[in-house]
């Protein structure tokens, strides 16, 4: 049959999984593979400034490309280790990222000479040992014979687990020729069937519980509904059952926030009192795709005992105290929908609070956190991709109702600052591909400084996102945690509006604004040209160092109690 | 006795080891410790933009602060993993860096809740497992009782091994009070004594070999002579024995390059023919502190058989085929000097090539690699700290004779691009401390883009280095390896001279120049104000994409043969 290089085999598989842009940085152990990339008509090489940002970009790409993967290429040692924090983030947050590392040739891997990028002590497996901590599976390609099978194995793992995987590609193996036959069979992208008997018993027990409480149910949706691609099944479930539904911060946009049965965001004891009462007052909670991290739960202040909770996950279920390993929600949910639809008329009557967030009128002209977030809420449009960096932004966005088919990207669990600059690039590339709306980032000044160079790659990749930089003179979120007036929470004052034109020679490709007052921001957000987003646009918002969104102040009050020093 | 917080105990020890600037980034698990840092009058907090750069800075600091250490503070997971490539580089290149990680409190470490910055699966030891691959030893502090002993153990390891170590500091342990008693005893900084009998036999065998060849010896010095602090012992050895001496690229500046017995740089078969003849023609080679990596040896083309080589290392020796574990050069060398001094009058007669590098006259005005390096050689002054980034710079600097007491920083083995921006910050802080000369960086445009934000931290730390940016439109070193005209070797065109004033609001703190011709560069290098280096100065050198220093073209010709693709 048709022969193909191992490198091209890998590229074909990636293309099948929706990779149109490949992120990464060249290095002498991957240059041969990059020739194949550059010559591949289906895949575009993004050319990142550094590997951490490339990993973040692959993560952002994967999040927008629903049921696809993101991918990056780095070089042995120096490149792959630079990316590892981004890979760990994808692991933590369930994002399918393929990390391809160009490594020395197979002879060198055996003889282990003191090559550059080695530790100098002959340990050639140290990087793999590190990677194993943060990836679901690894393919250490050492010969052409099993390369196709190995590649297929880890890519399948990547899609099904929603976690990153690691592939090492020796310079010579990348160029070996193998049969292309396997490529004709697409990789399995569907989770395994649930065991029918167990599944039936789960459905039956849930049915009984719902019946016992006479349909007095609250559904709580969270991150994994988005990451494991059950938004459609979820919508069907809610439409048919009419159960009231609330989202954890990481579950925002799993259901359109204008859905009539959507009541807003539940974050334990820091939730809005109306929401808290509704969620904790329901007789039964059906929790779908939860990820119960500190920042996602108001510092573990859920008051929902297990004795009234059904939990549905990608790979297991739990009905009150009983665990059902292997019963995943993708297959279960449609059947559950059918079974519970009969409660529709009762549950329809349970009222849900309307999820609104009016712009307050304030007596001064400063851009306050309290004013900013509801105001930008009005600026969003359906299908926009909205990204909020860890800091005041990730907390500010929680209370903003997002438009229909909006995508929200935050890193509430991993919380690595700087993530969103890379993720913005990846998300914008994927959004262009999927014909989504504008890509819009909110980022603090401190976070921007971590990964700022990747703004330049937006320009070279011809994507045109909008970047709001919250210039509040430093690490405000940290100030609220500790050290309100400490110098370690200050940062260098940059000329943020000069950044874009420093990172390009094309003066028409970008435009930057400094905005100091509510009136100025209003005007900009209402401006047609600005809204059309035809260039990279950066808006510096001048804000106060000691101002935080309400959700953040409440969270840090709770967190402060558990994280005492002396 | 006097009570002190664990965090302060650690700071006192660091201060004893020469730490005056501490690098890193705040995070909620280290903020309490940073209060102690900020309140410590002896240690200044650098406040980096990101953790990778902080690790690089700690490495640069340690290299300049001879026989001291560098240190950085990061936060659990996200911070420490961002730094790991910098730590691995310090491991590979034998640089003593102390990595302090702020981690959750001891209760949380036991109960393992789903905190932010965790992997979401309860594995709290994953980061340690990764760190173990790249650090010499680790102190996982979990209680105050042994905190002082543990801290002392790893700091001692750090100094004696010249490799990085890892300390995790839980938020509560940092604030526990312990006795300060141990602080009165300084940590041991001297390597252990050699076993006297073995040492004597090593000296005797070397003596016999030297006698047998009638003093026809070439000494070859390399990286570990610098890293393990035997520059003084080495000078004494060469002064007393008068053996001719040559340096590997990583051994440059181990001996003053104006030393009368210094013949220049030996890099295997890509050495200057005169040097090659002298080194490979000697009857016996005494190799001191070697690190025989590909780029340090002309791609493993030494033609010096083991049967005529004596190797002295920090922790072992080798005389021809015989290994002597535990016989380290720091103690051995003075005794060897005494024993071999009798050959002085014979070896004095062996001629050494003069290490000179005249500025060529070229017919055009372009700043060529062939012209640049000898020209900047004339610009250097005694005690300058010179840093050359991986790329054309690290190869270009090889042939430049450096002035007396100059320090040279390169990363020939690890070779992680972007390293030198962070290292520049650390080196400049240490150089200021040690009253050295100017700190001068040569960096390619591609490498600068990797870590550019840390230029801003130079300004906030009030150091005033000179930065030469070789703008050659991309990854020239890679072009010579593969893909001369490939797009993956192109990078975004930045306005390099706008960088500094984008990263500060203080317009007097910095100045930037673009230099397009030899004449312009000549004028600048002769300018008094420029030479005084009283501000941060950035010089963009416009150069050709397809131009490389001779040492690089020769190296890549050799390397290309081993790294074949298909
Ligand atoms: C890689 C990494 N380093 C450090 C931290 C700790 N950290 C969390 S938030 C934050 C400050 C963010 O400041 P900024 O982006 O300015 O946000 P804002 O001021 O809006 O809160 C820091 C340093 C982190 N989360 N990730
Ligand atoms: C972190 C890291 N990523 C990738 C590489 C591979 N690499 C080695 S040199 C180089 C290009 C350097 O280009 P530049 O700094 O412009 O140097 P020059 O053009 O002067 O050679 C690259 C990408 C590396 N060594 N380290
Ligand atoms: Mg800020
Ligand atoms: Mg370059």
């Amino acid at each position: 049959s048709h022969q193909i290089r191992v490198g091209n085999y890998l590229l074909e598989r990636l293309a099948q999984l929706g990779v149109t842009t490949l992120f990464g940085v060249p290095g002498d152990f991957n240059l041969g593979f990059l020739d194949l990339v550059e010559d591949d008509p289906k895949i575009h090489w993004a050319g990142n400034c550094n590997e951490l940002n490339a990993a973040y970009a692959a993560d952002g790409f994967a999040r927008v490309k629903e049921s696809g993967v993101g991918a990056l290429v780095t070089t042995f040692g120096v490149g792959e280790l630079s990316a590892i924090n981004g890979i760990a983030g994808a692991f933590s947050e369930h994002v399918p990222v393929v990390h391809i590392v160009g490594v020395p040739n197979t002879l060198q891997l055996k003889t282990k000479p003191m090559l550059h990028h080695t530790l100098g002590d002959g340990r050639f497996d140290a990087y793999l040992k590190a990677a194993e901590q943060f990836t679901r599976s690894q393919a250490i390609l050492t010969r052409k014979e099993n390369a196709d099978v190995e590649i297929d194995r880890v890519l399948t793992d990547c899609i099904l687990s929603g976690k990153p995987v690691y592939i090492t590609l020796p310079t010579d193996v990348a160029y070996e020729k193998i049969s292309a036959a396997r490529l004709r069979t697409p990789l399995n992208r569907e989770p395994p069937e649930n065991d029918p008997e167990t599944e039936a018993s789960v459905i039956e027990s849930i049915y009984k519980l719902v019946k016992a409480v006479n349909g007095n149910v609250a559904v709580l949706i969270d991150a994994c509904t988005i990451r494991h691609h059950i938004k459609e099944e979820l919508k069907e479930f809610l439409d048919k059952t009419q159960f009231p539904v609330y989202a954890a911060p990481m579950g925002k946009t799993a259901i359109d926030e204008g859905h009539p049965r959507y009541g807003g965001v539940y974050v334990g004891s820091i939730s809005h009192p109306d929401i808290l009462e509704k969620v904790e007052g329901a007789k039964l909670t059906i929790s779908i795709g939860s990820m119960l991290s500190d920042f996602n739960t108001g510092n573990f202040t859920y008051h929902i005992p297990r004795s009234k909770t059904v939990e549905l996950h990608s790979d297991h279920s739990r009905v009150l105290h009983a665990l059902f390993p292997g019963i995943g929600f993708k297959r279960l949910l449609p059947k559950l929908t059918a079974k519970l639809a009969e409660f529709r008329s009762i549950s329809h009557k349970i009222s849900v609070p309307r999820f609104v967030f009016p712009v307050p009128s304030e007596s001064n002209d400063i851009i306050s956190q309290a004013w900013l977030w509801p105001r930008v809420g009005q600026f969003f449009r359906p299908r926009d991709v909205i990204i909020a960096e860890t800091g005041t932004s990730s907390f500010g966005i929680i209370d903003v109702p997002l438009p229909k088919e909006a995508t929200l990207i935050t890193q509430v669990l991993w919380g690595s600052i700087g993530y969103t600059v890379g993720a913005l690039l990846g998300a914008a590339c994927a959004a262009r591909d999927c014909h989504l709306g504008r890509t819009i980032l909110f980022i603090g000044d401190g976070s921007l400084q971590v990964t700022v160079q990747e703004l330049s790659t937006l320009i070279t990749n011809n994507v045109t996102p909008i970047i709001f930089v919250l210039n509040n003179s430093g690490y405000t979120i940290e100030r609220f945690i500790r050290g309100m007036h400490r110098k370690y929470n200050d940062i260098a004052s940059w000329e943020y509006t000069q950044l874009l034109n420093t990172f390009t020679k094309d003066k028409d490709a970008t435009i930057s604004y400094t905005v100091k007052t509510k009136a100025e921001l209003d005007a900009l957000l209402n401006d047609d040209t600005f809204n059309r987003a035809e260039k990279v646009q950066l808006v510096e918002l001048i804000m106060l160092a000691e101002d935080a969104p309400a959700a953040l102040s409440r969270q840090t009050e709770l967190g402060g109690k558990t994280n005492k020093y002396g």
Side-chain angles (χ1 to χ4, degrees), chain A residues 405-425:
Chain A
E405 295 179 55
T407 303
L408 174 64
I409 299 182
T410 56
Q411 220 192 29
V412 174
L413 174 54
W414 190 242
S416 187
I417 63 168
Y419 159 73
T420 61
V421 184
L424 175 68
L425 170 67

mmCIF file of all heavy atoms in Angstrom, chain A residues 405-425:
data_model
loop_
_atom_site.group_PDB
_atom_site.id
_atom_site.type_symbol
_atom_site.label_atom_id
_atom_site.label_comp_id
_atom_site.label_asym_id
_atom_site.label_seq_id
_atom_site.Cartn_x
_atom_site.Cartn_y
_atom_site.Cartn_z
ATOM 1 N N GLU A 405 -24.182 30.936 22.650
ATOM 2 C CA GLU A 405 -23.081 30.288 21.942
ATOM 3 C C GLU A 405 -21.722 30.952 22.196
ATOM 4 O O GLU A 405 -20.801 30.805 21.395
ATOM 5 C CB GLU A 405 -23.343 30.214 20.432
ATOM 6 C CG GLU A 405 -24.543 29.325 20.124
ATOM 7 C CD GLU A 405 -24.841 29.254 18.632
ATOM 8 O OE1 GLU A 405 -23.925 28.897 17.865
ATOM 9 O OE2 GLU A 405 -25.990 29.572 18.260
ATOM 10 N N ALA A 406 -21.647 31.681 23.273
ATOM 11 C CA ALA A 406 -20.332 32.230 23.641
ATOM 12 C C ALA A 406 -19.469 31.089 24.160
ATOM 13 O O ALA A 406 -19.971 30.099 24.691
ATOM 14 C CB ALA A 406 -20.503 33.289 24.720
ATOM 15 N N THR A 407 -18.170 31.232 23.974
ATOM 16 C CA THR A 407 -17.221 30.309 24.585
ATOM 17 C C THR A 407 -16.485 31.097 25.663
ATOM 18 O O THR A 407 -16.090 32.240 25.426
ATOM 19 C CB THR A 407 -16.188 29.844 23.535
ATOM 20 O OG1 THR A 407 -16.877 29.248 22.452
ATOM 21 C CG2 THR A 407 -15.193 28.863 24.143
ATOM 22 N N LEU A 408 -16.316 30.483 26.834
ATOM 23 C CA LEU A 408 -15.552 31.156 27.884
ATOM 24 C C LEU A 408 -14.325 30.312 28.210
ATOM 25 O O LEU A 408 -14.431 29.109 28.437
ATOM 26 C CB LEU A 408 -16.397 31.327 29.151
ATOM 27 C CG LEU A 408 -15.628 31.902 30.351
ATOM 28 C CD1 LEU A 408 -15.146 33.322 30.081
ATOM 29 C CD2 LEU A 408 -16.485 31.857 31.612
ATOM 30 N N ILE A 409 -13.175 30.964 28.223
ATOM 31 C CA ILE A 409 -11.947 30.256 28.600
ATOM 32 C C ILE A 409 -11.354 30.910 29.849
ATOM 33 O O ILE A 409 -11.057 32.105 29.849
ATOM 34 C CB ILE A 409 -10.921 30.271 27.456
ATOM 35 C CG1 ILE A 409 -11.500 29.570 26.226
ATOM 36 C CG2 ILE A 409 -9.606 29.617 27.888
ATOM 37 C CD1 ILE A 409 -10.547 29.487 25.045
ATOM 38 N N THR A 410 -11.231 30.117 30.907
ATOM 39 C CA THR A 410 -10.539 30.566 32.115
ATOM 40 C C THR A 410 -9.755 29.353 32.614
ATOM 41 O O THR A 410 -9.977 28.239 32.154
ATOM 42 C CB THR A 410 -11.520 30.972 33.229
ATOM 43 O OG1 THR A 410 -12.387 29.862 33.488
ATOM 44 C CG2 THR A 410 -12.337 32.187 32.865
ATOM 45 N N GLN A 411 -8.878 29.587 33.567
ATOM 46 C CA GLN A 411 -8.087 28.478 34.100
ATOM 47 C C GLN A 411 -8.264 28.495 35.613
ATOM 48 O O GLN A 411 -7.308 28.740 36.356
ATOM 49 C CB GLN A 411 -6.626 28.672 33.681
ATOM 50 C CG GLN A 411 -5.925 27.401 33.287
ATOM 51 C CD GLN A 411 -4.431 27.573 33.154
ATOM 52 O OE1 GLN A 411 -3.827 28.417 33.813
ATOM 53 N NE2 GLN A 411 -3.802 26.756 32.335
ATOM 54 N N VAL A 412 -9.514 28.209 36.029
ATOM 55 C CA VAL A 412 -9.860 28.388 37.437
ATOM 56 C C VAL A 412 -9.121 27.400 38.339
ATOM 57 O O VAL A 412 -8.725 27.736 39.446
ATOM 58 C CB VAL A 412 -11.389 28.270 37.634
ATOM 59 C CG1 VAL A 412 -11.754 28.300 39.106
ATOM 60 C CG2 VAL A 412 -12.095 29.400 36.875
ATOM 61 N N LEU A 413 -8.892 26.187 37.864
ATOM 62 C CA LEU A 413 -8.197 25.204 38.694
ATOM 63 C C LEU A 413 -6.678 25.383 38.624
ATOM 64 O O LEU A 413 -6.014 25.549 39.636
ATOM 65 C CB LEU A 413 -8.589 23.775 38.277
ATOM 66 C CG LEU A 413 -7.834 22.632 38.964
ATOM 67 C CD1 LEU A 413 -7.893 22.733 40.482
ATOM 68 C CD2 LEU A 413 -8.361 21.275 38.513
ATOM 69 N N TRP A 414 -6.125 25.380 37.440
ATOM 70 C CA TRP A 414 -4.657 25.470 37.322
ATOM 71 C C TRP A 414 -4.171 26.872 37.672
ATOM 72 O O TRP A 414 -3.219 27.044 38.424
ATOM 73 C CB TRP A 414 -4.201 25.050 35.923
ATOM 74 C CG TRP A 414 -2.717 24.886 35.833
ATOM 75 C CD1 TRP A 414 -1.865 25.591 35.033
ATOM 76 C CD2 TRP A 414 -1.896 23.974 36.583
ATOM 77 N NE1 TRP A 414 -0.569 25.166 35.242
ATOM 78 C CE2 TRP A 414 -0.563 24.179 36.187
ATOM 79 C CE3 TRP A 414 -2.170 23.013 37.563
ATOM 80 C CZ2 TRP A 414 0.495 23.459 36.732
ATOM 81 C CZ3 TRP A 414 -1.117 22.292 38.110
ATOM 82 C CH2 TRP A 414 0.197 22.519 37.689
ATOM 83 N N GLY A 415 -4.816 27.886 37.105
ATOM 84 C CA GLY A 415 -4.536 29.261 37.505
ATOM 85 C C GLY A 415 -3.109 29.730 37.302
ATOM 86 O O GLY A 415 -2.537 30.398 38.160
ATOM 87 N N SER A 416 -2.537 29.419 36.170
ATOM 88 C CA SER A 416 -1.172 29.876 35.889
ATOM 89 C C SER A 416 -1.253 31.207 35.157
ATOM 90 O O SER A 416 -1.767 31.274 34.037
ATOM 91 C CB SER A 416 -0.461 28.838 35.024
ATOM 92 O OG SER A 416 0.890 29.164 34.882
ATOM 93 N N ILE A 417 -0.753 32.254 35.782
ATOM 94 C CA ILE A 417 -0.908 33.560 35.136
ATOM 95 C C ILE A 417 -0.029 33.645 33.886
ATOM 96 O O ILE A 417 1.039 33.057 33.813
ATOM 97 C CB ILE A 417 -0.656 34.747 36.087
ATOM 98 C CG1 ILE A 417 0.776 34.780 36.602
ATOM 99 C CG2 ILE A 417 -1.657 34.735 37.231
ATOM 100 C CD1 ILE A 417 1.135 36.087 37.300
ATOM 101 N N GLY A 418 -0.516 34.375 32.914
ATOM 102 C CA GLY A 418 0.135 34.459 31.615
ATOM 103 C C GLY A 418 -0.469 33.479 30.615
ATOM 104 O O GLY A 418 -0.294 33.632 29.402
ATOM 105 N N TYR A 419 -1.171 32.492 31.142
ATOM 106 C CA TYR A 419 -1.806 31.469 30.290
ATOM 107 C C TYR A 419 -2.604 32.065 29.142
ATOM 108 O O TYR A 419 -2.544 31.594 28.005
ATOM 109 C CB TYR A 419 -2.714 30.592 31.167
ATOM 110 C CG TYR A 419 -3.785 29.833 30.421
ATOM 111 C CD1 TYR A 419 -3.452 28.743 29.629
ATOM 112 C CD2 TYR A 419 -5.118 30.212 30.501
ATOM 113 C CE1 TYR A 419 -4.435 28.044 28.935
ATOM 114 C CE2 TYR A 419 -6.107 29.523 29.814
ATOM 115 C CZ TYR A 419 -5.761 28.439 29.028
ATOM 116 O OH TYR A 419 -6.735 27.762 28.342
ATOM 117 N N THR A 420 -3.352 33.114 29.428
ATOM 118 C CA THR A 420 -4.332 33.557 28.432
ATOM 119 C C THR A 420 -3.720 34.244 27.220
ATOM 120 O O THR A 420 -4.391 34.355 26.198
ATOM 121 C CB THR A 420 -5.380 34.503 29.047
ATOM 122 O OG1 THR A 420 -4.702 35.655 29.555
ATOM 123 C CG2 THR A 420 -6.155 33.800 30.145
ATOM 124 N N VAL A 421 -2.477 34.713 27.320
ATOM 125 C CA VAL A 421 -1.898 35.344 26.128
ATOM 126 C C VAL A 421 -1.677 34.274 25.060
ATOM 127 O O VAL A 421 -2.051 34.434 23.896
ATOM 128 C CB VAL A 421 -0.587 36.084 26.449
ATOM 129 C CG1 VAL A 421 -0.072 36.804 25.203
ATOM 130 C CG2 VAL A 421 -0.792 37.073 27.578
ATOM 131 N N GLY A 422 -1.081 33.157 25.479
ATOM 132 C CA GLY A 422 -0.933 32.043 24.554
ATOM 133 C C GLY A 422 -2.286 31.476 24.153
ATOM 134 O O GLY A 422 -2.550 31.237 22.968
ATOM 135 N N ALA A 423 -3.154 31.285 25.145
ATOM 136 C CA ALA A 423 -4.469 30.703 24.861
ATOM 137 C C ALA A 423 -5.247 31.585 23.880
ATOM 138 O O ALA A 423 -5.986 31.080 23.024
ATOM 139 C CB ALA A 423 -5.258 30.525 26.156
ATOM 140 N N LEU A 424 -5.065 32.881 23.983
ATOM 141 C CA LEU A 424 -5.727 33.820 23.072
ATOM 142 C C LEU A 424 -5.336 33.521 21.627
ATOM 143 O O LEU A 424 -6.191 33.480 20.730
ATOM 144 C CB LEU A 424 -5.310 35.249 23.430
ATOM 145 C CG LEU A 424 -5.813 36.367 22.515
ATOM 146 C CD1 LEU A 424 -7.318 36.532 22.647
ATOM 147 C CD2 LEU A 424 -5.104 37.691 22.828
ATOM 148 N N LEU A 425 -4.052 33.313 21.416
ATOM 149 C CA LEU A 425 -3.582 32.997 20.063
ATOM 150 C C LEU A 425 -4.238 31.720 19.559
ATOM 151 O O LEU A 425 -4.790 31.682 18.445
ATOM 152 C CB LEU A 425 -2.051 32.837 20.078
ATOM 153 C CG LEU A 425 -1.435 32.271 18.795
ATOM 154 C CD1 LEU A 425 -1.583 33.244 17.638
ATOM 155 C CD2 LEU A 425 0.030 31.898 19.024
#
